[in-house]
Amino acid sequence: MSKQAHITPPSYWPIIGSFGLFFLAFGIINVLHQSEWGSYSLALGLVILLLMLFGWFKEVIAENRAGLGKEPEVEGAFKWGMIWFIFSEVMFFATVFAALFYIRIFIIPWLSGAYAGQEITHYVLWPHFQMQWPLFNTPDPSIFLGPIKTIPTWEVPALNTLILLTSGLTITVAHWGIIRQDRKMALTGQGLTIMLGIIFLFLQAHEYIEAYHELDLKLNSGVYGNTFFMLTGLHGFHVALGTVMLICIWWRIYFNHFSAQYHFAFEAVAWYWHFVDVVWLILFVFVYWI
Amino acid sequence: MGEVVAKGFRAKVTRWVTTTNHKDIGTLYLVFALVMFFVAGLMALLIRAELFQPGTMFMHPNFYNQMVTLHGLVMIFGAVMPALAGFANWQIPLMIGAADMAFPRMNNWSFWILPFAFGLLLFSNFAEGGWPNFGWTFYAPLSSTYGPPSTDYMILSIHLMGISSIMASINIIATIMTMRAKWMEYMDMPIFVWSWFITAFLLIAIMPVLAVTVTMLLFDRHFGTSFFNAAGGGDPVLFQHLFWFFGHPEVYVLVMPAFGIISEVVPTFARKALYGAKFMIYAIACIAILSFIVWVHHMFTTGVMAWVKIFFMITTIVVAVPTGIKIFNWVGTLWKGAISFEPPMLFALSFIVLFTIGGFTGLMLGVVVADYQYQDTYFVVAHFHHTIVSGVYFAILTGVYYWLPKWSGRYYSFKLANWHFWLSTISVNLTFFPMYFLGLTGMPRRIPDYNIQFTDLNMLATVGAMIFGISQLIFLWIIIENVFLKRGKPATAAVWEATKGLEWTVPSPAPHHTFMTEPSPIKE
Amino acid sequence: MYTLLLGSVSTIFASYNMTQGVTPMSHRIYDIHMLMFYVCVIAGIATFGVMFYALLKHRKSLGVTPAQSKGHLALEIIWTVVPLLILLGLSYPAGKILMDMDEAKEAEVNILVTGLQWKWKYEYLDHGFSFYSNLSTPMAQRNGLEPKGEHYLLEVDEPVVVPIHTHVRFLFTSRDVNHSWWVPDFAVKVDCIPGYINEGWVYVEKPGTYRGQCTELCGMLHGFMPIVVEAKTQEDYQKWLAKRMDIVIQKEADRVLTKDEAMKKGQQVYQVHCQSCHQADGKGMPPAIPGMVGGKITTGPVSGHVDVLLNGIKGTGMQAFGEQLTNEEIAAVITYERNAWGNDKKAGELVQPKTIDQARGGAALAEPSQEVVKPKVDTSQWDSKTAMAVGKSVYDKNCQSCHQINGEGMPPMFPSLKGSKVVVGPVSQHIQLLLMGVKGTAMASFAWMSDEEIAGVITYKRNSWGNNEIKYGKDAGGLITPAEVKAMRGAK
């Protein structure tokens, strides 16, 4: 009842992070505006941000190792914080999927005159546009050229699905390892997960190169290309982040940071990884398959 | 404000920049909001000055559009949201008996991103073509293909604000869920905490939507995508769908904590428990859920199909039901109370009346066919200013007048505050009531010049706006006098006669650290 | 006396209320607006009545003791259910009006409204003519140099005309950003979305002039693109139509302007089309809008100046005026710009309509229209002469048997190519048609032909039999390059 609350000491990391974000944003804008020093600002921002993340997490890890992480309300806060963060990510992906569905269900039929009562747009403005998906012919091919072909579903994408599903298993193996305090099992499981993540990213990169060079499937090839790259790109970015986090956790397992009861950092990353996994499944179905 | 006394300029800067204390951060939010309020308010006054008479007064049409854009963006993201976040930071830990927020360092970061975000936005004037000029809704393709270079500053600035809001909301929601005193069940939480609980949920749900939308805009501008361009199979209306899926819950994000503040203040000065407290909570939750399925009412004229319009018309006007529950319960709280009229109560009562009027006109706007005549006219401008200025802003004033003695430890001058109240209430109506009639008689919004038939009402609105603007200086003086010049009668712990709740059990001013050990429940 | 007083009060009230309008729909919308208004007033009086009673009677200063009630379940249920029922009840009449509005009708007049920054284009689809409608309020009124007229900012150079007692279908689209077409008296407000078409129906009951404005922020001069509709009786409408058609058919006389004529006319054109951006003193608003005083274009070669006016400058606010203005107007405004503000010292030419006519003819063949993607390969060998020669031989060999030597085809089996939608429409669609053919018709795919052959025959079709830019707008005409055809093949 009369337990003293922990007071977090003042910290410089947030303001450093703000400067990092500022230089990053400023850099992006100026790279887009073709100014010479844009990329320097961008790089500076990234370096500051990475330094900040490193320093900040180091501090948090040290605090948790000192016993703060065992406080039930602290652990609860971390848990709920992570859950709500993942919820925000869910909304993030949901928005892009919503755009995809809106385009497929409403826009394409609308422009191609298949929508009862709305045919006039087709007849007057886009008389030669025909309903199709994937969109090989955009409404105005003189501005946006569609792709020649699309990525075949049951080759690399299917393999990638298998890879991510397997990684979901291996991370569970790592979890068992931690719970059983079997360090070797945990490290192996975690290591395999990391490897699968890297293979996934490698295959995605390979797929992108193929799409650009052989299929003419580009970010700017009409809405098919837009949604394809937006969704797979955002997902790939999250996998990359997840892989980095998995690597950090591997180190922490290596240095025996986790006990059988207190290993929330691992769990948080595992949740994140499963989330990325589920997004991929939806993505596989709606982007690659149907 | 606390026991920490920083000596010297550097030490002071260090203290405020590195602080992890919820009260410090709350203060930072509130001060930032106050500054932004005057920045954006000045823009509003410039707009009204230009509209005083027909003809070009002193503003170029492009500059007018820039003012319209920045006034909206800065008021919403720079003034109102940070002010409400300031209340959350100060009050939530105090009201639930927590020593601080769940993530104190992240709390600091949420705030300290904001000055950088608004720096990007406000200094984008140095980009060629000047500030963004397409309204705070930045509809594509006006902002994509036709947007000035500063659009990119705005987009990245919104990304930063989004990061800040999501972190702040996660922090608030985690604090409420895990840091409450052990004896405090969810239904025991003060209604202000409840309102922020639901608001934080809304923010976490919608800020990512905005982030994706502006990202698509950025890609359309620079990477050849065609999300909002029919030539590539996209749709400019898709932008509006995405924007308003964010935008409508966003306005409830503004108004929900306002409901919370009013629901705290009315019982105190009616000396009666909040009438139907449970139903008040249900009503907030209900409004939050409905807020996700009403967004098309901003787009009735964009050519969406008839059945879609009818669906969204029904959901929109049904929002009036939970809103009505709230209003009726406030009136129920007043009924047979022992009412006194201190400044916070005056503003709260003004809120109830004027927000209700804003709500009524919202109801009218929700009716599809009538909306064809109201949409994008001054009727809309009047409606949302009645809900946001005499609604949310008045609620913020209510909250400041209510809790300021707790924060600073001193009462402010009631006489000045009463002046502030009467001038504000009269002039806010002088400003916005004429706008309803301007809209009804056919004046579109966002135009810098107008036909002579609209002259008299515009003059009235401008005079009202000037008085309103000037009377806010009284508020500024009250704050300066109370907080910075440290004048005023010392406040008691309870501050007001009939206050109830944990925050009134700590001394005034609230010490730098409160509830280091868990407080025990208050005996009724 | 009382009725007089009542009358004047209601007039004042009406002058600050929504217009009742002049269409059946606008009356119904007015009624639902008033219904909602009265419902709100009654609800407001009830709520505020109770509230102010409490504020007066239950104040602490009167020494009352507060009641201990914390809520009342039945009350809560009542004030949830009753408003819900009222609101759902209200949504019925509103929904009914909406359904009636959307009901398909037999349109007797079809007008395509295109919003542009910052003017309206009206195209009478049944009669094949179109015109632009610009703000006609002089700048001097806006700057306060002249007194403002009654229709300040609500007047245009050419209003759109509709017949009364007729179902008029308006189709709305845009060429650049979103606009919104609002005429309060018709209760029609429809957004103009680029790439999409929305519909609006009007059935005017009373002849008259009705005014409105753009209601969607569309950039700098959003406030300066009014709408004026003249509703005429059937008889007057037919007269107007006949006159209007004459203008279209009448060939522009090869007039020779005197300098004074050109300057006077040029100044008028300048005030309507140029002044809002480039300013009355020609100084513009650098850097976004360049000045014209001693400017590179206004004092450079005439041909360059003509080109800018005809074709605009892509990616800037400078539009193509080629299809908006007549040769005479363009000649006059160029003359004006080259002589005003001291430009006559450096330039000072008098430009004649004939020059513009020639420039249009030349431009139609010399370079592809703005909308077409830039050729990716070197096409220095590919000029209009070659294209037309190649095209003619291909046409004679492959097309003529069906579409005939004069391009008139044999309708309905083989459509005429004269002014056909495809042949004067966007080039890309024309190419696509040749590459893919039209399913279910005799039009086969000609994808087997070489890029040069296809480009040639398309160029030939688009520039023969009177198909050209001048007559059919900027999409028509043009020199098509093999590279474009190649690009389109890639799109398959």
Side-chain angles (χ1 to χ4, degrees), chain B residues 119-185:
Chain B
L120 273 183
L121 181 64
L122 293 175
F123 288 98
S124 68
N125 198 26
F126 295 111
E128 201 188 323
W131 281 313
N133 54 4
F134 29 65
W136 84 278
T137 51
F138 50 97
Y139 279 5
L142 188 58
S143 60
S144 57
T145 321
Y146 295 81
S150 58
T151 312
D152 301 316
Y153 284 85
M154 184 201 73
I155 289 172
L156 268 295
S157 159
I158 288 176
H159 273 129
L160 295 194
M161 291 173 209
I163 294 171
S164 155
S165 294
I166 290 176
M167 287 196 304
S169 312
I170 289 177
N171 207 344
I172 288 168
I173 211 163
T175 306
I176 295 172
M177 293 179 86
T178 61
M179 310 277 287
R180 275 171 290 127
K182 290 201 179 52
W183 46 266
M184 191 183 274
E185 299 296 327

Side-chain angles (χ1 to χ4, degrees), chain C residues 214-234:
Chain C
C214 175
T215 46
E216 182 68 70
L217 181 58
C218 57
M220 187 169 73
L221 299 182
H222 158 59
F224 304 92
M225 48 184 292
I227 297 150
V228 180
V229 186
E230 271 179 22
K232 291 183 190 288
T233 58
Q234 228 1 290

Side-chain angles (χ1 to χ4, degrees), chain C residues 259-419:
Chain C
K259 189 124 180 193
D260 286 346
E261 276 174 348
M263 286 298 280
K264 202 175 148 210
K265 173 121 193 159
Q267 190 176 12
Q268 287 168 357
V269 176
Y270 186 84
Q271 281 170 349
V272 175
H273 295 275
C274 320
Q275 187 169 285
S276 50
C277 294
H278 290 289
Q279 308 293 308
D281 56 8
K283 286 191 179 141
M285 292 179 295
I289 295 157
M292 289 189 173
V293 183
K296 232 189 249 166
I297 291 163
T298 46
T299 59
V302 172
S303 59
H305 197 169
V306 173
D307 181 57
V308 168
L309 255 104
L310 285 177
N311 302 316
I313 303 172
K314 206 166 186 202
T316 72
M318 184 63 197
Q319 308 172 347
F321 284 94
E323 55 163 320
Q324 300 183 30
L325 300 177
T326 65
N327 289 340
E328 192 180 324
E329 285 169 330
I330 294 182
V333 77
I334 290 178
T335 306
Y336 176 73
E337 286 169 2
R338 299 180 79 81
N339 286 283
W341 321 300
N343 281 352
D344 51 338
K345 291 187 197 87
K346 286 194 196 158
E349 299 90 342
L350 166 63
V351 180
Q352 293 294 349
K354 211 169 164 199
T355 316
I356 312 297
D357 196 42
Q358 282 161 356
R360 286 189 200 261
L365 288 176
E367 53 180 68
S369 76
Q370 291 281 341
E371 291 297 305
V372 177
V373 73
K374 289 256 159 28
K376 282 175 190 138
V377 291
D378 182 17
T379 53
S380 55
Q381 303 295 317
W382 187 256
D383 58 19
S384 57
K385 240 188 205 157
T386 335
M388 290 297 274
V390 171
K392 180 150 175 39
S393 78
V394 173
Y395 185 84
D396 289 348
K397 231 164 56 201
N398 300 299
C399 321
Q400 192 186 309
S401 53
C402 295
H403 291 293
Q404 304 300 301
I405 196 155
N406 57 6
E408 284 178 357
M410 292 183 290
M413 277 293 284
F414 306 112
S416 168
L417 302 181
K418 251 180 158 174

Side-chain angles (χ1 to χ4, degrees), chain B residues 180-248:
Chain B
R180 275 171 290 127
K182 290 201 179 52
W183 46 266
M184 191 183 274
E185 299 296 327
Y186 278 108
M187 289 315 274
D188 301 335
M189 291 192 316
I191 190 144
F192 176 75
V193 179
W194 255 108
S195 71
W196 248 111
F197 188 31
I198 291 164
T199 304
F201 162 74
L202 280 182
L203 272 172
I204 299 172
I206 61 170
M207 289 317 279
V209 179
L210 180 66
V212 170
T213 311
V214 294
T215 307
M216 286 177 173
L217 195 66
L218 192 75
F219 274 51
D220 266 18
R221 285 170 61 79
H222 294 288
F223 303 115
T225 60
S226 48
F227 288 110
F228 310 130
N229 186 344
D235 183 1
V237 176
L238 170 62
F239 176 88
Q240 299 183 27
H241 280 294
L242 293 174
F243 182 85
W244 286 116
F245 186 84
F246 149 78
H248 199 83

Side-chain angles (χ1 to χ4, degrees), chain B residues 56 60 65 146 234 240 271 276 301-302 329 336-337 339 372-376 441 446 449 451 456 497, chain C residues 15-16 33 58 60 66-67 70 72 76 87 142 150 152 176 178 182 184 189 191 196 198 215 219 222 285:
Chain B
T56 305
H60 186 269
N65 288 348
Y146 295 81
Q240 299 183 27
R271 290 164 184 78
T301 60
T302 56
N329 277 308
K336 292 200 169 162
I339 303 163
Y372 292 163
Q373 293 285 53
Y374 310 135
Q375 170 78 28
D376 271 323
T441 43
R446 291 168 167 170
D449 196 356
N451 182 264
D456 45 358
E497 195 186 296
Chain C
S15 73
Y16 287 118
H33 155 70
H58 306 151
K60 193 194 164 206
K70 282 188 169 179
H72 193 282
E76 300 284 348
L87 289 170
R142 280 161 64 184
E150 189 195 345
Y152 176 70
D176 36 49
N178 295 351
W182 182 35
K189 183 184 286 147
D191 288 3
Y196 290 81
N198 289 329
T215 46
H222 158 59
M285 292 179 295

Side-chain angles (χ1 to χ4, degrees), chain A residues 83-151:
Chain A
I83 288 169
W84 288 109
F85 170 67
I86 289 176
F87 174 66
S88 80
E89 294 273 38
V90 168
M91 290 306 292
F92 197 81
F93 278 99
T95 310
V96 194
F97 275 112
L100 173 70
F101 295 146
Y102 180 78
I103 286 166
R104 288 183 63 172
I105 295 169
F106 291 105
I107 298 307
I108 302 299
W110 194 305
L111 291 174
S112 55
Y115 228 110
Q118 307 287 358
E119 297 93 342
I120 191 84
T121 298
H122 172 68
Y123 288 134
V124 178
L125 298 175
W126 314 104
H128 296 290
F129 179 64
Q130 278 160 13
M131 184 150 140
Q132 57 183 168
W133 192 267
L135 196 64
F136 294 115
N137 290 299
T138 62
D140 189 348
S142 68
I143 306 175
F144 297 103
L145 267 184
I148 299 173
K149 271 198 282 181
T150 54
I151 307 272

